[in-house]
Amino acid sequence: VGPEHSYLKKIHRARYISVTDREALSAFHKLTTLEGIPPAFESAHAVAGFLKERRRYSPRDAVIINLSGRGDKDIPRLFKV
């Protein structure tokens, strides 16, 4: 963890949660199925984090998740091709 993240956590400007790889793969599948957007595995972890914490938000809240890459390059790794 870099010093910036440690500092942001310390001053309560950021909150960090963890998700499992299984939760990330589930989020990958959900986003791909519902929106047709296969996220990169790294981004799938962020989507899983939102899904895990979604009760904290109202339906009127705007939530932005940066999808940092395309997941189509990761699909072969799902099937061990």
Side-chain angles (χ1 to χ4, degrees), residues 34-79:
L34 295 176
E35 298 294 335
I37 302 169
F41 285 162
E42 299 84 1
S43 297
H45 283 80
V47 174
F50 167 74
L51 293 173
K52 191 177 210 178
E53 299 284 312
R54 68 180 173 258
R55 289 180 185 85
R56 297 178 60 122
Y57 303 97
S58 79
R60 296 188 315 173
D61 288 338
V63 176
I64 299 171
I65 300 173
N66 180 30
L67 300 180
S68 60
R70 297 183 350 242
D72 58 328
K73 65 180 176 9
D74 294 321
I75 290 175
R77 288 181 23 201
L78 284 173
F79 300 105

Side-chain angles (χ1 to χ4, degrees), residues 10-28:
K10 181 179 179 179
I11 65 169
H12 304 285
R13 291 283 305 220
R15 193 169 67 84
Y16 297 89
I17 62 169
S18 62
V19 297
T20 65
D21 288 342
R22 184 168 295 199
E23 289 169 320
L25 286 174
S26 176
F28 177 94

